[in-house]
Amino acid sequence: NAGVTQTPKFQVLKTGQSMTLQCAQDMNHNSMYWYRQDPGMGLRLIYYSASEGTTDKGEVPNGYNVSRLNKREFSLRLESAAPSQTSVYFCASLTGASSYNEQFFGPGTRLTVL
Amino acid sequence: RKEVEQDPGPFNVPEGATVAFNCTYSNSASQSFFWYRQDCRKEPKLLMSVYSSGNEDGRFTAQLNRASQYISLLIRDSKLSDSATYLCVVVLGAGNMLTFGGGTRLMVKP
């Protein structure tokens, strides 16, 4: 099992460009998440998907859109990138069966917006 | 006020020392608690869950104090490999929304 995979690992964008961050999990998990992590800060939730076909906003959704393509894949789109979106982006998943569940993270995407 | 607060550190300790971190949470309805470990430029990974009665895993002990709304992590006999950032995580209710603290950085020196 690969666990949670993310592509790309690194990306540099110019202000105003768009891009999609891809995430996939092979653990048959119901719930998937997108976080951003800025220097010296914890993880902040951007969007999540409790199950296939549903998505909800998290703490910092502005400037982002998501798609839960199927049970395995959950993508994050930046329509018009801004320097404030320079961050490390982590995708995560968990089974959703109970509260005492481990959340598994992908290796992250390091995004720089110039 | 942040929902989950941690002292960012860094905590600089010598090898073999005992070190403890606290984390406070604001919502008394929180039901599940975890400590995650994050190495530099890596993804967070679950270190241990925190149970009401407290729990131990080798050199690591986690405690929950619901009355004062804090959880703690104690590391005994620190190793160089324990150097990392420790993230406190709280789950509200029976849902799957995890709230992360800002993390506490630990540096263990020879």
Side-chain angles (χ1 to χ4, degrees):
Chain A
N1 284 353
V4 180
T5 57
Q6 290 183 236
T7 55
K9 285 190 168 56
F10 301 93
Q11 184 71 50
V12 178
L13 293 177
K14 294 181 180 177
T15 297
Q17 287 185 314
S18 62
M19 78 162 295
T20 300
L21 281 64
Q22 307 286 354
C23 174
Q25 52 91 10
D26 61 2
M27 296 173 283
N28 201 36
H29 286 172
N30 292 316
S31 301
M32 297 186 73
Y33 307 78
W34 276 105
Y35 295 93
R36 62 177 288 173
Q37 186 174 36
D38 300 299
M41 297 183 70
L43 283 81
R44 292 184 292 169
L45 183 65
I46 305 170
Y47 270 93
Y48 69 100
S49 171
S51 61
E52 185 179 356
T54 68
T55 60
D56 286 287
K57 295 179 180 179
E59 181 186 353
V60 288
N62 291 345
Y64 306 95
N65 285 301
V66 291
S67 295
R68 185 73 183 268
L69 303 170
N70 46 56
K71 193 169 187 179
R72 290 188 63 249
E73 299 172 287
F74 188 40
S75 62
L76 178 72
R77 183 160 179 83
L78 287 71
E79 290 291 350
S80 179
S84 61
Q85 294 179 303
T86 294
S87 189
V88 180
Y89 291 84
F90 288 103
C91 177
S93 70
L94 79 157
T95 65
S98 72
S99 294
Y100 283 93
N101 269 311
E102 178 178 357
Q103 195 170 61
F104 292 85
F105 285 83
T109 295
R110 283 157 182 77
L111 176 66
T112 300
V113 183
L114 303 175
Chain B
R1 183 184 172 190
K2 290 183 183 177
E3 289 187 52
V4 181
E5 294 207 61
Q6 297 182 247
D7 180 343
F11 285 62
N12 295 298
V13 302
E15 269 186 295
T18 295
V19 62
F21 312 134
N22 281 344
C23 162
T24 58
Y25 59 94
S26 61
N27 195 324
S28 60
S30 300
Q31 293 196 1
S32 307
F33 309 89
F34 305 88
W35 284 102
Y36 276 69
R37 171 191 168 129
Q38 185 174 25
D39 294 299
C40 187
R41 302 181 69 80
K42 299 279 192 179
E43 72 272 24
K45 292 184 179 178
L46 179 67
L47 176 66
M48 59 195 302
S49 301
V50 185
Y51 302 122
S52 296
S53 56
N55 49 299
E56 190 174 303
D57 182 3
R59 298 182 293 108
F60 298 84
T61 300
Q63 296 278 354
L64 169 63
N65 185 318
R66 285 191 184 273
S68 301
Q69 294 182 204
Y70 76 84
I71 67 174
S72 63
L73 177 67
L74 180 79
I75 305 175
R76 291 180 297 277
D77 188 22
S78 299
K79 311 290 185 191
L80 294 176
S81 58
D82 293 334
S83 297
T85 296
Y86 292 84
L87 301 169
C88 173
V89 179
V90 171
V91 181
L92 181 65
N96 298 318
M97 296 294 297
L98 281 66
T99 301
F100 286 78
T104 296
R105 188 173 172 208
L106 171 65
M107 297 178 68
V108 181
K109 302 295 178 80

